[in-house]
Amino acid sequence: MSGRSFPAGPRLLGRSVNFSLYSRHAESMELVLFDHAEDPVPSRVIPLHAATNRTYHYWHVDVPDIGAGQVYGWRARGPFDPERGLRFDPGKLLLDPYARAVVVPKTYSRPAACVPGDTTATGMRGVVADFRLYDWEGDRPPRTPFSATIIYEMHVGGFTKSPTSGLDPGLRGTYRGMIAKIPYLKELGVTAVELMPVFQFDEQDAPQGRRNYWGYAPVSFFAPHAGYSSRRDALGPLDEFRDLVKALHRAGIEVILDVVFNHTAEGDARGPTLSFRGLANDTYYLLDEGGRYADYSGTGNTVNPNQTVTRSLILNALRHWVEAMHVDGFRFDLASILSRDEHGRPLDQPPLLVDIETDPVLCNAKIIAEAWDAGGLYQLGHFVGDSWKEWNGVFRDDVRRFLRSDRGVIARMPSRIMGSPDIFAYENSAPEQGVNFVTCHDGFTLNDLVSYDRKHNEPNGESNRDGTDANWSWNCGVEGPSSDAAVEALRERQIKNFVTLLMVSVGTPMLSMGDEARRTQGGNNNAYGQDSGTSWFDWTLPAKHPGLLRFVRTWIRHRLRGNAREREDLSLNALLRDSSYEWHGVKLGAPDWSESSHALAYTVTLQGGRVRMHAMLNAYWEALDFEMPHGRWRDWVNTAKPSPDDILDFAAAVEVASKTYRVEPRSVVLLISRVGSG
């Protein structure tokens, strides 16, 4: 029963399971086995001895006559010496960092894990899994190139948890519930879903009386969150998540995971001992010289990403999600933390980031960085490696400010439209280097961006102090819901302006769940603990806003398969990036870059001169007459027009006869022309 040190975690070996985990300073270990997930008392406790069950810093044991479905945990005995970074507590039931499945008993108690004492009856447990048994039915990843990718950021639970989803209660808020709504995503036209965290997280990591809804509180890097499974058996979440991936792939939709490797739910010194802290606190976390937790994440602790053992854990987790779970890519939360060394200092060539980019298993995976952290490190446009794409927060802010008519923004818009070459200017930068977005989970929804001047986070219980104040929003004249038809028309026009600039700009566009149907959070811009109708997708909204939904669907279709493109091997991104731009104001060839300017026009020549597009952007509060370039132009997109005239198929676009075009207040117009047609 001595077992082997490799590989880490549980491994099925015929009629036995080999367990191995890292704990450098542990003096002894116990493997705790349970017959059932909810059992308060273990069925068996196996002591491990350094003489027979330890190789270097790895503890291991081979246990006969158990297999897949075995529920287990660990207990570690060692010194409690915080100044040295050691926080052992022999009473704590600990999750295996390499557990591929996790069960959370109904008795789970985060408060109990925060104080000394026995948590055997209340702790989360790992589950042994056999990944050879699942039938993938020939599943193949879509491998959509970034040039043809449109991302839809969404929350697995919130997508279908509302009773308005029409699903049976047992399916709402689950992986299976999301499968039932894949036709909606397919019809919308997005090519990838970016799932907010689906690693097992601690739902109790939230203020008293609330639940952690967003999921940025991981306790495991390998296990899918059991709370999103409609099945109650220990291994059900594994199968159900894989069913979801398989179903999305059949629809041609990729799966990108929002992954949190920068911190865990264990928090600071006041937090719970759930796993990493009780096994190797000084290895897995960044600590100062006094053993205190460094906090570059804003959550109380920071993972030590470039320490050898931690780096191996993260790489193995990523490989697991690609190989065993068939996911297509990752968006790395607070990715700049992953570039810090063991003292928290930024590295020029961080081993972890280099490993992720060059790993042969991950070479086809999409890798996207949120290139900043809560410690002030901002690496947008300077993130390490050729394969990394980056969330472009500057695009978000500049477009928001331009469309709310801020002074002094106009001169920044050409760069945003052209793919932010002022940011992504290095040699190997691709046209899709920046992931452009106007909204994401963190902040206002698109509806709220045009409906509120300020945040309304009172329901969060923090006296409206939480959440950012830098929203760059405008309520169009009324704070919150309005029955004024003119206000509502202006808000919908502004939403269409945002969508149009997102879709016509070089980069990879990302939409946020429900923005296509005006999902609202009532002005809450930090709804991380709002597992309620505040955050859920309201399935009555698509029917209430059919014109906007059509507008978004049609734009996505044009972006991906627009028949202005004669070469299907070229993306719109590549066409725009390689095209020539002529910049204008209301008069041709005379752009106004002054601080008081709110109008911009430009002409793009595509496909070697065969197709031209002329854009007129009016962020002014009065109508403006724009001079039009010579040629036969057709009216393609006009956000001031009602549906369905606001966006047309190219063949249906109506020719414009005049030499000037009146662009209504706060609207965007796009014209299209084929050279040689006049």
Side-chain angles (χ1 to χ4, degrees):
M1 288 182 61
S2 62
R4 295 182 292 180
S5 60
F6 181 83
R11 184 184 184 187
L12 288 162
L13 299 171
R15 295 187 180 181
S16 68
V17 177
N18 187 82
F19 296 87
S20 174
L21 86 168
Y22 175 91
S23 185
R24 178 180 181 180
H25 295 290
E27 297 166 353
S28 64
M29 300 286 296
E30 292 179 335
L31 177 64
V32 184
L33 304 180
F34 298 86
D35 285 342
H36 305 98
E38 297 290 342
D39 287 354
V41 178
S43 58
R44 188 177 177 190
V45 177
I46 301 174
L48 277 65
H49 305 286
T52 56
N53 300 103
R54 180 168 181 165
T55 303
Y56 189 50
H57 302 318
Y58 290 88
W59 297 81
H60 44 79
V61 62
D62 187 0
V63 183
D65 301 323
I66 61 171
Q70 177 65 55
V71 180
Y72 73 102
W74 290 94
R75 289 194 294 236
R77 183 178 296 276
F80 183 82
D81 189 349
E83 290 187 4
R84 292 174 54 207
L86 305 178
R87 292 181 175 272
F88 288 93
D89 183 341
K92 293 293 181 284
L93 186 71
L94 305 173
L95 268 178
D96 183 347
Y98 277 84
R100 268 61 169 185
V102 172
V103 291
V104 184
K106 295 176 183 177
T107 56
Y108 170 68
S109 171
R110 181 178 177 87
C114 291
V115 296
D118 194 332
T119 61
T120 303
T122 60
M124 298 186 192
R125 299 100 189 266
V127 187
V128 177
D130 188 346
F131 287 88
R132 300 167 299 181
L133 303 178
Y134 185 77
D135 184 3
W136 278 104
E137 301 179 279
D139 174 70
R140 297 180 65 85
R143 290 190 178 167
T144 306
F146 261 109
S147 60
T149 293
I150 294 181
I151 298 171
Y152 189 74
E153 188 204 32
M154 61 179 298
H155 188 282
V156 170
F159 194 50
T160 64
K161 205 162 187 180
S162 169
T164 62
S165 68
L167 300 179
D168 291 338
L171 295 183
R172 296 174 195 162
T174 67
Y175 303 120
R176 282 185 63 196
M178 185 174 163
I179 291 172
K181 295 296 186 179
I182 288 177
Y184 175 85
L185 297 171
K186 182 71 173 176
E187 189 174 0
L188 184 60
V190 295
T191 68
V193 290
E194 183 176 298
L195 304 182
M196 289 176 64
V198 296
F199 289 0
Q200 180 64 50
F201 61 88
D202 185 0
E203 295 182 1
Q204 295 183 17
D205 188 6
Q208 189 172 4
R210 279 176 284 279
R211 297 171 64 187
N212 190 306
Y213 169 73
W214 282 356
Y216 293 91
V219 295
S220 170
F221 297 154
F222 288 83
H225 186 60
Y228 295 151
S229 177
S230 65
R231 290 172 50 174
R232 300 276 69 90
D233 56 303
L235 294 176
L238 283 177
D239 286 346
E240 199 166 319
F241 179 84
R242 289 180 288 188
D243 289 345
L244 171 61
V245 173
K246 186 165 58 176
L248 285 165
H249 284 177
R250 285 174 176 166
I253 299 173
E254 292 186 303
V255 180
I256 299 171
L257 301 187
D258 188 343
V259 292
V260 185
F261 292 115
N262 59 81
H263 73 278
T264 77
E266 290 186 311
D268 59 20
R270 299 164 296 177
T273 299
L274 305 172
S275 176
F276 307 97
R277 170 178 293 162
L279 293 169
N281 186 64
D282 60 330
T283 294
Y284 291 122
Y285 294 117
L286 287 175
L287 308 174
D288 66 16
E289 293 181 356
R292 293 176 293 270
Y293 292 98
D295 186 8
Y296 300 110
S297 67
T299 64
N301 67 42
T302 305
V303 167
N304 189 0
N306 288 294
Q307 199 281 341
T308 304
V309 173
T310 312
R311 188 168 91 238
S312 178
L313 173 74
I314 293 171
L315 283 169
N316 281 320
L318 292 170
R319 294 180 189 124
H320 168 76
W321 286 102
V322 169
E323 291 185 303
M325 309 299 273
H326 286 207
V327 304
D328 303 285
F330 308 94
R331 176 266 187 187
F332 291 79
D333 179 63
L334 299 183
S336 289
I337 284 176
L338 306 184
S339 71
R340 293 184 183 270
D341 68 11
E342 294 184 55
H343 302 285
R345 297 171 301 203
L347 294 163
D348 291 334
Q349 291 292 320
L352 176 60
L353 299 183
V354 173
D355 286 349
I356 291 171
E357 183 178 39
T358 59
D359 189 90
V361 175
L362 305 177
C363 61
N364 282 313
K366 287 180 166 66
I367 49 175
I368 303 169
E370 184 184 28
W372 55 87
D373 65 27
L377 190 56
Y378 197 80
Q379 298 175 310
L380 185 64
H382 301 281
F383 211 74
V384 175
D386 298 331
S387 297
W388 286 90
K389 304 297 183 284
E390 303 171 50
W391 267 25
N392 190 349
V394 175
F395 178 94
R396 171 199 61 204
D397 295 344
D398 285 350
V399 170
R400 286 185 178 192
R401 294 185 64 202
F402 172 72
L403 288 178
R404 78 168 191 172
S405 305
D406 279 11
R407 291 172 56 86
V409 184
I410 193 81
R412 301 169 65 88
M413 290 306 296
S415 185
R416 301 303 148 252
I417 291 166
M418 296 171 64
S420 298
D422 58 330
I423 298 173
F424 306 112
Y426 47 91
E427 182 179 355
N428 295 316
S429 176
E432 304 80 26
Q433 188 70 27
V435 175
N436 294 333
F437 65 103
V438 176
T439 62
C440 64
H441 68 277
D442 190 0
F444 279 150
T445 67
L446 193 49
N447 176 82
D448 292 358
L449 188 64
V450 301
S451 302
Y452 295 91
D453 277 354
R454 58 189 183 277
K455 67 189 180 186
H456 294 267
N457 295 356
E458 291 83 2
N460 297 349
E462 299 180 44
S463 302
N464 208 35
R465 293 189 301 269
D466 63 310
T468 183
D469 292 313
N471 296 296
W472 311 120
S473 61
W474 178 50
N475 65 16
C476 297
V478 176
E479 187 74 358
S482 174
S483 57
D484 187 320
V487 170
E488 280 300 291
L490 177 56
R491 287 174 175 175
E492 187 133 327
R493 183 186 302 182
Q494 285 285 77
I495 290 173
K496 290 190 290 184
N497 292 339
F498 279 118
V499 172
T500 298
L501 288 179
L502 179 65
M503 291 296 174
V504 82
S505 298
V506 175
T508 301
M510 185 183 79
L511 297 164
S512 186
M513 181 183 84
D515 277 351
E516 73 281 2
R518 294 191 63 174
R519 185 178 74 86
T520 178
Q521 293 181 170
N524 195 322
N525 74 354
N526 188 36
Y528 77 97
Q530 294 294 330
D531 189 5
S532 65
T534 295
S535 301
W536 301 341
F537 191 107
D538 179 352
W539 285 92
T540 68
L541 292 176
K544 291 177 180 176
H545 302 285
L548 178 60
L549 183 58
R550 175 197 170 274
F551 185 87
V552 176
R553 287 173 175 168
T554 306
W555 241 128
I556 291 174
R557 178 164 51 84
H558 283 319
R559 172 87 184 192
L560 296 177
R561 297 179 294 279
N563 55 17
R565 289 191 287 129
E566 296 177 2
R567 287 185 57 191
E568 292 300 321
D569 60 318
L570 287 178
S571 69
L572 180 59
N573 273 337
L575 287 171
L576 291 171
R577 184 62 168 269
D578 295 335
S579 299
S580 60
Y581 286 74
E582 301 173 62
W583 297 97
H584 320 285
V586 292
K587 294 186 178 298
L588 292 176
D592 182 358
W593 304 120
S594 68
E595 289 215 348
S596 60
S597 174
H598 303 288
L600 181 66
Y602 63 95
T603 309
V604 186
T605 303
L606 309 172
Q607 297 185 359
R610 293 191 297 276
V611 177
R612 289 195 298 167
M613 182 184 77
H614 186 67
M616 294 169 283
L617 318 178
N618 182 11
Y620 194 51
W621 42 89
E622 295 180 9
L624 297 173
D625 292 323
F626 284 76
E627 290 183 353
M628 291 172 50
H630 176 73
R632 295 179 61 180
W633 293 97
R634 293 180 178 273
D635 207 342
W636 174 29
V637 178
N638 188 333
T639 62
K641 291 184 177 181
S643 180
D645 296 326
D646 49 4
I647 184 167
L648 303 172
D649 287 335
F650 297 114
V654 179
E655 188 168 331
V656 180
S658 65
K659 295 182 179 180
T660 62
Y661 195 111
R662 171 152 290 193
V663 180
E664 296 301 318
R666 303 186 187 279
S667 61
V668 176
V669 172
L670 300 180
L671 308 178
I672 200 79
S673 172
R674 287 192 180 277
V675 177
S677 61

